[in-house]
Amino acid sequence: MKKLFLPALFFLAGCYPQSEEPEPEPLTVEGLKPIYVSESQVQTVEALPPQPIVRLGKIYYKDQTIYVNESYLGVHVIDNSDPLNPLKIKFLRIPGCRDIAIKGNILYADNAGDLVAVDISNLDQPKVVKRLEGIQGNVSQNFPELYQGYFECVDDAKGVVVGWEKATLTDPKCWR
């Protein structure tokens, strides 16, 4: 009888209702989220007032002017005629810009998947003088380059991804 009682006790113990476990807290992590622009905005190059430098990229010096690439967003223009007091004068918004070069009055920059030549002789009205479309392949990025960690999945309905920024993410579904 003892042999029958012990297995029956374990069976009955497993039949008692289990206490309900609370829902797990959402996973909150530091990661990257996409920077979107609309299809029409991606090809627009424009002069804006000076902006704060956040993601420093390539620096180019020409004629006492410093051109600082703001990764994925554009180019800061700084008057360096007085090196002790450099003065931010303009920001050239060029979506997807990661690299720049200058020859004469022409600034060459990547503009998402295109290469653009911009006349900067009048910084108030930069003018795209030539565009080579699709030279860098797919405009949109499905994941951040050279990054390993969590990121917000790309939603093509929100526009074209021209870069990535640090963010606090809740329950991210993408990781690399």
Side-chain angles (χ1 to χ4, degrees), residues 125-164:
Q125 295 179 346
K127 181 180 176 189
V128 175
V129 292
K130 180 83 173 177
R131 175 180 298 277
L132 299 175
E133 293 186 8
I135 199 163
Q136 295 179 352
N138 189 5
V139 172
S140 188
Q141 304 173 29
N142 291 324
F143 51 85
E145 294 177 23
L146 306 173
Y147 173 78
Q148 186 170 2
Y150 288 104
F151 60 96
E152 184 180 295
C153 300
V154 172
D155 180 355
D156 291 330
K158 292 183 178 180
V160 177
V161 177
V162 294
W164 296 84

Side-chain angles (χ1 to χ4, degrees), residues 83-110:
L84 296 176
N85 296 301
L87 178 65
K88 291 183 186 178
I89 54 175
K90 284 286 177 211
F91 180 73
L92 303 177
R93 186 172 107 23
I94 307 172
C97 179
R98 292 177 296 168
D99 200 3
I100 58 173
I102 300 173
K103 183 173 181 182
N105 288 327
I106 304 296
L107 178 136
Y108 298 91
D110 53 335

Side-chain angles (χ1 to χ4, degrees), residues 18-24:
Q18 300 292 321
S19 63
E20 298 227 2
E21 293 189 31
E23 287 287 320

Side-chain angles (χ1 to χ4, degrees), residues 8-135:
L9 183 63
F10 284 118
F11 175 74
L12 290 174
C15 291
Y16 287 108
Q18 300 292 321
S19 63
E20 298 227 2
E21 293 189 31
E23 287 287 320
E25 291 290 321
L27 175 65
T28 301
V29 296
E30 292 301 311
L32 298 179
K33 70 176 188 176
I35 300 169
Y36 295 99
V37 297
S38 70
E39 289 282 346
S40 60
Q41 288 175 321
V42 84
Q43 291 191 350
T44 303
V45 174
E46 63 183 331
L48 300 173
Q51 308 286 314
I53 297 173
V54 178
R55 286 182 310 279
L56 181 67
K58 189 175 201 175
I59 299 172
Y60 200 94
Y61 182 80
K62 179 187 179 301
D63 301 331
Q64 297 186 353
T65 303
I66 301 171
Y67 298 85
V68 179
N69 174 239
E70 176 79 28
S71 296
Y72 300 107
L73 300 176
V75 180
H76 300 275
V77 182
I78 302 167
D79 179 353
N80 197 45
S81 54
D82 179 1
L84 296 176
N85 296 301
L87 178 65
K88 291 183 186 178
I89 54 175
K90 284 286 177 211
F91 180 73
L92 303 177
R93 186 172 107 23
I94 307 172
C97 179
R98 292 177 296 168
D99 200 3
I100 58 173
I102 300 173
K103 183 173 181 182
N105 288 327
I106 304 296
L107 178 136
Y108 298 91
D110 53 335
N111 175 214
D114 299 348
L115 175 65
V116 292
V118 181
D119 183 344
I120 55 172
S121 56
N122 179 355
L123 287 172
D124 291 324
Q125 295 179 346
K127 181 180 176 189
V128 175
V129 292
K130 180 83 173 177
R131 175 180 298 277
L132 299 175
E133 293 186 8
I135 199 163

